[in-house]
Amino acid sequence: ANTGNATDFGDLTVATQKQSGASDATRSLFMGGETSGRTNTIVYVTTANAGNATDFGDLTEATESGSSTNDDIYAVRGGGGTSGGRTNVIDRVTIQTAGNASDFGDLLAGNQGLRASSGAAS
C-alpha cells in the first residue's frame, strides 16, 4: 500500500536458489530449488508477519527451476531439473496443511523453466 524500500522479512531454512512459489491469503510457500544440489524441501512463511521460514514438507523428488501455481486451497508444482535430467512430475499440496506433496499427475514431457498461471475458481 505504500512506496518505499524493502525491509528484512526473515530467512529461509537454507540459502536456496531456483525455487518456485505459491501462496494463499495467509501463507507463502517456497518449493524445491538448489542449494549445493537440488532439494525437495518445501518451506513456508506467514505472509502478514515478518519471520523466518518454517519446514512444510517435501516434494516427491528433488528438483529446481520448476513452475508453480495455486488457487485458494492447493499449490501445484510441475517440471524442473533433477540430477537425472528434466522431470515431468506434477506435485500438489494443501497450502494450509503442512505435509509432503502428493503426485498429482505428469506433464506430457520433462520440462525445465516452465511458467504457470491460474484463474479465479468458479
Side-chain angles (χ1 to χ4, degrees), residues 15-85:
T16 310
Q17 63 181 354
K18 300 180 184 178
Q19 296 173 300
S20 63
S23 65
D24 66 7
T26 60
R27 259 187 194 177
S28 296
L29 305 180
F30 302 87
M31 298 180 275
E34 186 174 357
T35 56
S36 58
R38 289 164 182 91
T39 181
N40 67 342
T41 303
I42 306 169
V43 299
Y44 75 94
V45 295
T46 303
T47 312
N49 304 315
N52 294 333
T54 302
D55 184 55
F56 183 94
D58 294 328
L59 296 169
T60 59
E61 64 183 335
T63 171
E64 50 86 15
S65 298
S67 185
S68 300
T69 189
N70 58 272
D71 62 14
D72 291 337
I73 299 170
Y74 300 106
V76 179
R77 182 187 190 286
T82 66
S83 60

Side-chain angles (χ1 to χ4, degrees), residues 83-106:
S83 60
R86 296 178 178 166
T87 184
N88 68 342
V89 171
I90 302 170
D91 285 340
R92 183 175 86 164
V93 296
T94 303
I95 298 171
Q96 288 297 315
T97 307
N100 295 334
S102 58
D103 187 342
F104 192 61
D106 293 328

Side-chain angles (χ1 to χ4, degrees), residues 11 41 62 75 85 107:
D11 296 321
T41 303
L107 299 168

